[in-house]
Amino acid sequence: MATVFVIANQKGGIGKSTTATNLAAILGKKKKTLLIDADPQGNSSSTYEAKIEDVATLYDVMIDSDKLPASDAIQHTKNGDIIASDPLLVKAEKMLDGDVEGFYRLKDALDVLEGYDYIVIDTAPSLNIILYNCLIASDQVIIPVTADAYATQGIEQLYDTIMAVKRRQNRDLSIAGLLLVRYSGRSNLERSTRESIEESAAGMGTKLFDTVIRECVKTREAQEHRMNLIDYAPRCTTCQDYLEFTKELTGLSV
Ligand SMILES: Nc1ncnc2c1ncn2[C@@H]1O[C@H](COP(=O)(O)OP(=O)(O)OP(=O)(O)O)[C@@H](O)[C@H]1O
Ligand SMILES: [Mg+2]
């Protein structure tokens, strides 16, 4: 069975997709890894240069009445294997709501998917039924946070959701940790916020990862070139930090 990581934080634009694509691409260099884009915005799909038109996507796996096996929705791109997102996923909340099995669509699909060591799921900045599906299908949650004044705002809500899922639907779910991302280290505020993030992590019974992901312009450049960072700029600070983080998370050295 694959180990499933979900990258979650309902705050927008903080580095979830960047973390998901880099972690998946790095793990993919050593192990069979699948990235799943569960955000209708499709940023990870775009970075991986996955198709959205005329192909099966996560929407078909989760929502369509004739559900596809997940294996039929996998695209093998130069960046790695991915199940792409679809803008239609925004309709999913309504469609799954009221269906007693609506929370378990992704878990059911992944339970019968074979051949992967790791699955990494990127999620949208929202607490909705798609996120519940992702949490129910996952083993470990990684919560990226930025070191700003509102860093941990809203995290309690995410924590409550994770704990509710753990109590009711997925006992084995755990929080792998909070990951400080997009760190410039330049301001005093960043340094002091780091301490408060550590306290928040402890309050949630988890840790702040030792590895901190620093900012680098190559990150955005790689995304514009629709490439993962490990191929585009393996020596840049952000890539080096994601390599270190992958090692801290899994013990794998890539
Ligand atoms: N380490 C980094 N260095 C430089 N830029 C970064 C870094 N991490 C993320 N970014 C940039 O920050 C922006 C937001 O990142 P990203 O898309 O990963 O956030 P997100 O949490 O997935 O957003 P959303 O909530 O909209 O899905 C992007 O433009 C990305 O290129
Ligand atoms: Mg994103």
Side-chain angles (χ1 to χ4, degrees), residues 12-18 39 41 125 182 214-216 223 238:
I14 49 132
K16 292 180 289 297
S17 301
T18 304
D39 179 357
Q41 294 179 107
R182 301 185 63 185
R214 289 165 294 173
E215 286 195 314
C216 166
Q223 288 161 352
T238 305

Side-chain angles (χ1 to χ4, degrees), residues 38-70:
D39 179 357
Q41 294 179 107
N43 294 340
S44 288
S45 304
S46 163
T47 300
Y48 259 48
E49 210 166 28
K51 290 189 192 139
I52 292 184
E53 304 284 326
D54 304 322
V55 289
T57 65
L58 187 63
Y59 179 84
D60 303 291
V61 174
M62 283 180 70
I63 316 287
D64 247 5
S65 45
D66 339 301
K67 276 182 287 171
L68 280 196

Side-chain angles (χ1 to χ4, degrees), residues 9-19 39 41 43 122-125 144 181-183 213-221 223 229 238 242:
N9 188 335
Q10 76 273 32
K11 241 168 113 175
I14 49 132
K16 292 180 289 297
S17 301
T18 304
T19 300
D39 179 357
Q41 294 179 107
N43 294 340
D122 183 23
T123 63
V181 296
R182 301 185 63 185
Y183 191 76
I213 311 293
R214 289 165 294 173
E215 286 195 314
C216 166
V217 288
K218 299 275 181 208
T219 303
R220 207 172 291 230
E221 271 177 41
Q223 288 161 352
L229 208 49
T238 305
Y242 275 116

Side-chain angles (χ1 to χ4, degrees), residues 73-107:
I74 295 171
Q75 297 180 49
H76 307 281
T77 77
K78 65 175 193 294
N79 290 299
D81 289 2
I82 181 168
I83 296 182
S85 150
D86 189 318
L88 285 174
L89 268 180
V90 283
K91 291 203 292 187
E93 202 170 355
K94 255 193 216 139
M95 294 169 77
L96 293 177
D97 214 13
D99 175 347
V100 279
E101 294 187 323
F103 287 90
Y104 297 90
R105 297 288 181 95
L106 186 58
K107 180 179 168 46

